[in-house]
């Protein structure tokens, strides 16, 4: 037996066919366009996400020997999507999780004294990152689209909900608890939508999807809509929660870091809601079929892999993301250059939507290799910012595209002073979606069985070498990073 996983990320869709041995048998990938209509705005065309999904799945099926028995979905979280209940056409582009346009709304709600109550119910904070304030912005600024929401002809959801609607030809309007917990509308203490929060933010509850468990059959795909496939949709989770599941982090205290467009550090806290005073979020990791919730603490870093992509596409300093390791390795350090990649503001632990990208320390001797090295350093510093706020951490499991970069992971181990473990399968977001669907349909019997499938590729041990240019070791370089972060804050205040 095998399971099909759809991983609808921020820049493209990956489809995996995963066998009973938890190995990837086939894969497909299709990018879709990014739209930046104004500074700080990021949008996606929902139809382009759907067409990329069909293309990626077609590629994976073409490379697979056996037909899958179930499908799991994982997705970029917090992105606000609207679509017509009947035609499934989107009346406007989706507002992406990176989008900053609702910063003023967050300020208004915070100044009105609502943040403590919202944090109590949701585990989140007011930041443009989350879906709820994006929806409020649409209500206030896109009257034509929002009219459909209020009259019931247009539905609201995150990307997982949209994909389920397309897979089922409009038959189901659902989301799982992990995605719901990222909207500012979901009460994580009760596991349900909150009438209080919907009223506060101004979102009609009737337009929201039904909240379902993260595994177990919740719908079936429509063959006419989905490449002739009639499959149970049996796993749904936001991408970071799926990666936690795919990394076999099933025990309290298990943690992982995914290096994708951004980087996200999650630690499993079990059935306990653990609150943070250090800028971490409390979130739902997954919901089981009984309705029981497993929670996590999360440090959300908005731009890491996207900074490497910017070096490639925005500046033309590298021809491919993979080239970053080789080029950065040609210099012993960053030559004093420090890069704060706050290209869409700062997430944990600073939470400043008005911060902007900052490069300091440039001299006549600065080369593109120094800038690329400073970017890898920045990713390691950003993750250190978060990990140092977590409870006792002894090892960090890593995944995502940038985890293929050995120099980055060595820098990370050095900055944390902890071993960093890279699994054989780096696509653990998609793997987690497959695991959820498989455990929901009996392909695997338990998380204990799944834990046995995790395989180590390489373990990066911290070194004692003082690699930075001024001889300050890991702490000296980190202190300069923190000084640069302070200079980046508040830049885009209107």
């Amino acid at each position: 037996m095998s399971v099909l996983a759809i991983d609808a990320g921020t820049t493209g869709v990956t489809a995996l066919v995963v066998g009973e041995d938890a190995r990837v048998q086939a894969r497909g990938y299709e990018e879709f366009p990014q739209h930046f209509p104004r500074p700080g705005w990021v949008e996606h065309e929902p139809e382009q996400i759907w067409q990329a999904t069909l293309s990626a799945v077609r590629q994976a099926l073409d490379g697979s020997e056996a037909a899958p028995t179930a499908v799991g979905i994982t997705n970029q979280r917090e992105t606000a999507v609207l679509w017509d209940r009947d035609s499934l056409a989107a009346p406007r582009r989706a507002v992406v999780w990176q989008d900053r346009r609702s910063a003023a709304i967050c300020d208004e709600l915070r100044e009105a004294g609502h943040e403590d109550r919202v944090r109590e119910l949701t585990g989140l904070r007011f930041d443009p990152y989350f879906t709820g304030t994006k929806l409020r912005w649409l209500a206030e600024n896109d009257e034509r689209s929002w009219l459909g929401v209020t009259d019931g002809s247009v539905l609201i959801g995150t990307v997982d909900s949209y994909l389920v609607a397309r897979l089922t030809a409009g038959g189901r309007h659902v989301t799982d608890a992990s995605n719901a917990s990222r909207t500012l509308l979901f009460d994580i203490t009760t596991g349900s939508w909150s009438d209080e929060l919907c009223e506060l933010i101004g979102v009609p509850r009737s337009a929201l999807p039904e909240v379902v468990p993260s595994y177990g059959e919740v719908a079936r795909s429509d063959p006419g809509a989905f490449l002739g496939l009639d499959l149970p949709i049996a796993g749904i989770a936001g991408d970071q929660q799926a990666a936690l599941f795919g990394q076999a982090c099933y025990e309290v205290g298990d943690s992982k870091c995914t290096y994708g467009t951004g980087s996200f550090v999650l630690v499993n806290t079990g059935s306990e809601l653990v609150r943070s005073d250090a800028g971490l979020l409390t979130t739902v990791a997954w919901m089981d079929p009984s309705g029981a919730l497993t929670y996590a603490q999360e440090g959300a870093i908005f731009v890491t892999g996207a900074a490497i992509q910017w070096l490639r596409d925005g500046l033309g300093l590298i021809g491919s993301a993979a080239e970053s390791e080789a080029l950065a390795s040609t210099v012993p350090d960053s030559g004093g250059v420090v890069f704060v990649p706050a290209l869409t503001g700062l997430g944990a632990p600073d939470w400043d939507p008005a911060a902007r990208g900052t490069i300091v320390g440039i001299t006549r001797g600065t080369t593109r290799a120094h800038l690329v090295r400073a970017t890898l350093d920045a990713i390691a510093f950003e993750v250190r910012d978060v990990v140092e706020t977590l409870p006792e951490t002894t090892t960090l499991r890593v995944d995502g595209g940038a985890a293929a970069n050995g120099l980055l992971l060595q820098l990370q181990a050095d900055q944390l002073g902890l071993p960093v473990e890279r699994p054989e399968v780096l696509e653990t977001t998609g793997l987690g979606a497959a695991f959820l669907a498989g455990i929901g349909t009996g392909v695997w019997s338990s998380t204990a069985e799944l834990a046995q499938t995790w395989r180590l590729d390489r373990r990066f041990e911290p070194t004692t070498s003082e690699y930075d240019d001024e001889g300050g070791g890991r702490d000296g370089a980190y202190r300069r990073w923190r000084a640069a972060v302070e200079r980046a804050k508040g830049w885009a205040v209107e």
Side-chain angles (χ1 to χ4, degrees):
M1 288 190 291
S2 63
V3 179
L4 171 66
I6 298 171
D7 178 1
T10 305
T11 56
V13 179
T14 301
L16 304 176
V17 177
V18 179
E20 289 182 80
D21 60 357
R23 296 186 185 275
V24 177
Q25 298 177 344
R27 59 170 48 82
Y29 178 73
E30 190 71 35
E31 284 193 2
F32 53 80
Q34 310 292 301
H35 302 279
F36 308 102
R38 295 187 189 178
W41 290 25
V42 189
E43 296 181 343
H44 291 156
E45 188 64 62
E47 181 66 28
Q48 292 173 337
I49 296 176
W50 173 238
Q51 292 303 322
T53 299
L54 293 176
S55 177
V57 170
R58 193 178 294 111
Q59 293 170 43
L61 294 178
D62 287 347
S64 177
E65 295 181 358
T69 59
V71 59
I73 297 170
T74 184
N75 56 286
Q76 51 163 309
R77 305 171 303 172
E78 298 96 16
T79 295
V81 191
L82 277 59
W83 66 94
D84 186 273
R85 181 188 295 272
D86 297 322
S87 71
L88 307 183
R92 58 158 295 115
R93 288 176 181 162
V95 182
V96 178
W97 61 272
Q98 298 168 308
D99 192 282
R100 305 277 91 189
R101 74 186 68 183
S102 62
I105 291 171
C106 294
D107 291 341
E108 291 169 12
L109 290 167
R110 185 180 299 109
E111 289 165 7
H114 297 299
E115 187 158 56
D116 287 345
R117 177 60 174 164
V118 168
R119 185 180 287 125
E120 177 188 352
L121 294 178
T122 69
L124 310 178
R125 57 192 297 129
F126 284 128
D127 189 88
Y129 177 32
F130 302 111
T131 320
T133 58
K134 301 179 194 300
L135 294 173
R136 179 155 172 170
W137 187 95
L138 292 175
E140 294 177 356
N141 294 277
D142 189 347
E143 181 179 352
R144 182 178 177 183
S145 297
W146 200 254
L147 180 61
V149 174
T150 56
D151 71 19
S153 64
V154 170
L155 299 175
I156 291 170
T158 40
V159 170
D160 60 310
S161 304
Y162 173 70
L163 289 180
V164 171
R166 297 305 299 257
L167 289 167
T168 62
R172 292 285 276 153
H173 184 39
V174 300
T175 188
D176 93 298
S178 72
N179 278 294
S181 73
R182 312 297 295 187
T183 62
L184 287 173
L185 304 171
F186 186 78
D187 185 343
I188 63 172
T189 68
T190 64
S192 60
W193 297 120
S194 165
D195 289 330
E196 177 184 348
L197 294 170
C198 287
E199 181 178 356
L200 173 66
I201 295 178
V203 175
R205 182 168 175 173
S206 58
L208 294 172
E210 174 190 352
V211 178
V212 297
S214 304
Y215 58 94
E217 183 174 343
V218 298
R220 290 193 76 89
S221 64
D222 182 288
F226 187 46
L227 304 175
L229 296 173
D230 178 11
L231 295 175
I233 300 170
I236 305 174
D239 53 9
Q240 303 312 316
Q241 291 94 330
L244 191 70
F245 204 85
Q247 282 275 37
C249 294
Y250 306 133
E251 301 298 324
V252 173
D254 288 349
S255 61
K256 68 87 195 176
C257 177
T258 297
Y259 299 88
T261 299
S263 287
F264 300 84
V265 181
L266 271 73
V267 57
N268 185 329
T269 64
S271 60
E272 183 180 1
L273 267 168
V274 178
R275 311 283 185 171
S276 170
D277 294 324
L280 300 185
L281 307 172
T282 303
T283 196
V284 173
W286 48 78
M287 176 193 282
D288 72 24
S290 75
L293 296 173
T294 295
Y295 297 101
Q297 274 196 305
E298 174 178 329
I301 304 163
F302 296 155
V303 173
T304 53
I308 297 175
Q309 188 179 44
W310 176 69
L311 295 179
R312 182 194 70 188
D313 300 337
L315 298 184
L317 296 184
I318 53 177
S320 67
E323 188 183 329
S324 62
E325 179 175 6
L327 183 58
S329 297
T330 64
V331 291
D333 50 59
S334 69
V337 176
V338 179
F339 176 27
V340 182
L343 307 182
T344 58
L346 287 171
D350 297 283
W351 294 105
D352 183 359
R356 286 297 178 265
T358 304
I359 302 175
V360 297
I362 297 173
T363 68
R364 284 287 301 273
T366 298
T367 67
R368 67 189 184 105
H370 291 118
L371 290 173
V372 174
R373 175 61 181 263
T375 303
L376 299 186
D377 283 345
I379 295 171
F381 295 145
E382 289 182 292
V383 172
R384 175 175 172 177
D385 277 345
V386 168
V387 171
E388 289 195 340
T389 68
L390 291 173
E392 188 68 25
T393 304
T394 57
T395 303
L396 186 68
R397 288 186 173 181
V398 299
D399 55 77
N405 188 317
L407 174 59
L408 170 62
L409 297 191
Q410 187 58 60
L411 293 172
Q412 192 68 81
D414 292 345
Q415 275 300 309
L416 297 177
L418 298 172
V420 170
E421 292 185 341
R422 181 172 67 192
E424 287 184 0
V425 178
L426 291 182
E427 296 165 305
T428 53
T429 302
L431 191 64
F435 282 179
L436 288 164
I439 205 170
T441 55
V443 176
W444 296 286
S445 62
S446 65
T447 54
E449 180 183 357
L450 285 172
Q452 296 302 311
T453 69
W454 191 90
R455 303 177 185 91
L456 177 69
D457 170 55
R458 183 176 171 188
R459 181 181 171 98
F460 295 82
E461 298 284 353
T463 66
T464 56
S465 62
E466 302 209 343
Y467 64 85
D468 73 285
D469 55 293
E470 294 184 11
R474 73 184 190 101
D475 291 333
Y478 181 67
R479 284 194 297 271
R480 288 200 302 281
W481 155 258
R482 288 305 312 173
V485 169
E486 292 304 314
R487 298 187 184 199
K489 289 181 178 179
W491 187 262
V493 172
E494 295 182 1

